[in-house]
Each structure stands twice: as C-alpha cells, then as structure tokens.
Amino acid sequence: MKTFCSFVALAALATRVSAHYVWPNLLVGSTNTSEWQYVRKTNNFQDLNPMTDVTSSDVRCYDSAQSGTASTATVAAGSTVGFTVSGNPANLYHAGVLNVYMAKAPSGTDVSKWDGSGQVWFKVYQISAVTDGGSTITFPTTGMSQIQFTIPPSLPSGQYLIRTEHIAIHSASYFGGAQFYIACAQVEVTGGGSGSPGPLVSFPGAYTGNEPGILINIYYPIPTTYVQPGPAVWPAAGGSGSGSGSGPATTTAAGTTTKAATTTTSSTGSSTGGTVAQYGQCGGQGYTGATGCVSPFTCKVSNQYYSQCL
C-alpha cells in the first residue's frame, strides 16, 4: 500500500507540473544569458506552477518567496531583448496571449532593490489571439520557446524592470481559471530618448480577473473577437507591439488589430512597403499580409499560426 501511495503522489506531482513553464533567461540581442542571471527568480522556479490571483502583489513579478539576487543587464534603447522559456515542455504550450510591460525605477533607487509598486507600468509589446468572426480562434504564441521585442528608441535612459506574462486561457471559463506565467528582468537602458511612456497601470490593479480576455471560454461558443487584456502598447506607432492608439485590441484572422474600432495596425510588427520589419509577423495560418522581410532578415516559422522576421 505504501508503494502504491507513493506512486499516486508522484503521478499527481507529474500532472501538476505538466505543461507548465517559467522564463529564467533574458535574451540580450542574440545572447541567451544564464538562468536567473538578470531575471528575478520566481516562486515557481521549481514547481513551475502559474499565478492565478490577479489581486496578489505576486502578480507583479511573482518573486515574493525569493531572495532577489538578479544582476542588472545594460541594454541600449532601440536594441532587442527577450525571454527564453523553460519547463515541461520548454515552450508556451497552453493556448494564451502575451504581454510585456516595463517600469522605471524611481530616481535614486537601485532597480535591484525596487519592488515595482505603484502606477508605473506601461506595455511595450503584445501578441494577441486571432479570430475570424466565430469559426476559429488561434493563438500565435503556442509552441514559442522564446520571445523578442525592441526596447523603444524614445524610452528615457534609466533602470527598469521588464515584466513578461503569458496568460494561458485554456481553462479560463471560470473566475480565477486563467493562468499567469510571469517573470521580471532588471535592465539599465542607455542612449535613450525623451518619450513619455503610457498609459500607466499598476500590478495588482491592471486586471480584475473579469476582463473579457481573461474570463473567457475559448471552446464553445467560439469567440467572435478577442480583447487583449491591459492598456495599449507604447509607443502607439512603435514597431514591435501589436496595437496602437487607445482602448482594447481585437485581433482578426487577417492579422489586423483594431483600436476603438478606428485604428488598424499589423498584429505584431510594422512593414515597409511590401516587406515586414524585424520582429514583425510574416506568415501563419490566416495571415494575409506581406511575407517578405526587410534586409537582412528572413521569415522564420515559429508555429503553424505565426512566422516572424528574424
């Protein structure tokens, strides 16, 4: 009986961590830095379990149980950074959407000792869901093993937290069912501009858990549209975010994102003429935009729904 109970316990543990993941590595340009070198070690670094309580302060960086020993990477405004996934499997396995936020540490405060509290976070990148009016809903992040985006060139110099979140909504049909896979990296941005990032939100506070993109049944009836959680991407005309203007984002099968029913942009990147800029979408099921990339980048397949200029 003891052996049987041990087997059941091990099976339960395997089920618990199956298809869960963390973000331990910061990508700086093409360099994949060491695990937890610049990313704050999260509470789930061993069990891989997600956050589900958006009212908890852990929805900020999910690091309350850790000692906070991460270093601070130096990155230039306008350069590319990102995160690498580790887990079981080591990719964004669940159906979900992605947001990346940044927050500037107060003047005179070392970012390594700052908790990121207050209305200080702004969104710089997102990958939404793709819908076609109720026939299908697809998730371009599915299967991605890493994400990359551009530090806005107009971002003022200083020390920042970069917060990534993958919101898994495969079981989000009830309140608290959405799973948040979160991590925060520490960076010092150099060579910045004079932009004014916004809209600004706080964590907790940005989400109630009742948003239509968080409390949602993706199976039946299939949603006709999808509203991306959180504020608009800053800057509004920037290249790496999937939205512009104000208001929520609704992404369609054609790969367009509509803001307040008035503004449309490429779902993940800008294009130049008939070509797509670095990190922009260039292919995938349902995508109808340009498939060529500006030199010297090429269109790389991430999964059947999403290809990107890299």
Side-chain angles (χ1 to χ4, degrees), residues 40-166:
R40 294 181 173 183
K41 186 176 287 187
T42 49
N43 297 354
N44 62 339
F45 79 100
Q46 289 181 313
D47 64 29
L48 311 183
N49 287 334
M51 264 289 301
T52 57
D53 182 4
V54 297
T55 67
S56 167
S57 60
D58 263 333
V59 78
R60 195 178 301 141
C61 291
Y62 203 15
D63 62 347
S64 62
Q66 301 307 312
S67 58
T69 58
S71 300
T72 301
T74 299
V75 299
S79 66
T80 59
V81 297
F83 291 84
T84 297
V85 181
S86 177
N88 181 26
N91 61 57
L92 301 180
Y93 177 84
H94 291 307
V97 298
L98 181 96
N99 289 317
V100 178
Y101 293 84
M102 296 184 70
K104 188 177 184 181
S107 178
T109 300
D110 191 314
V111 70
S112 66
K113 297 179 172 52
W114 183 50
D115 65 359
S117 59
Q119 194 168 331
V120 292
W121 296 90
F122 53 96
K123 189 189 292 187
V124 295
Y125 184 71
Q126 67 181 24
I127 301 176
S128 192
V130 178
T131 64
D132 60 3
S135 296
T136 63
I137 181 170
T138 54
F139 299 92
T141 60
T142 302
M144 286 185 173
S145 59
Q146 62 179 224
I147 61 162
Q148 289 181 294
F149 54 93
T150 302
I151 300 290
S154 59
L155 185 70
S157 299
Q159 293 191 337
Y160 289 83
L161 290 175
I162 305 178
R163 175 186 177 276
T164 184
E165 63 175 14
H166 188 241

Side-chain angles (χ1 to χ4, degrees), residues 128-140 224-226 242 250-258 264-269 271 276 280-291 305-307:
S128 192
V130 178
T131 64
D132 60 3
S135 296
T136 63
I137 181 170
T138 54
F139 299 92
T224 58
T225 59
Y226 180 80
S242 63
T250 302
T251 308
T252 68
T256 58
T257 300
T258 303
T264 59
T265 66
S266 167
S267 64
T268 52
S271 62
V276 180
Q281 184 175 3
C282 55
Q285 183 175 312
Y287 175 73
T288 60
T291 57
Y305 304 112
Y306 192 80
S307 296

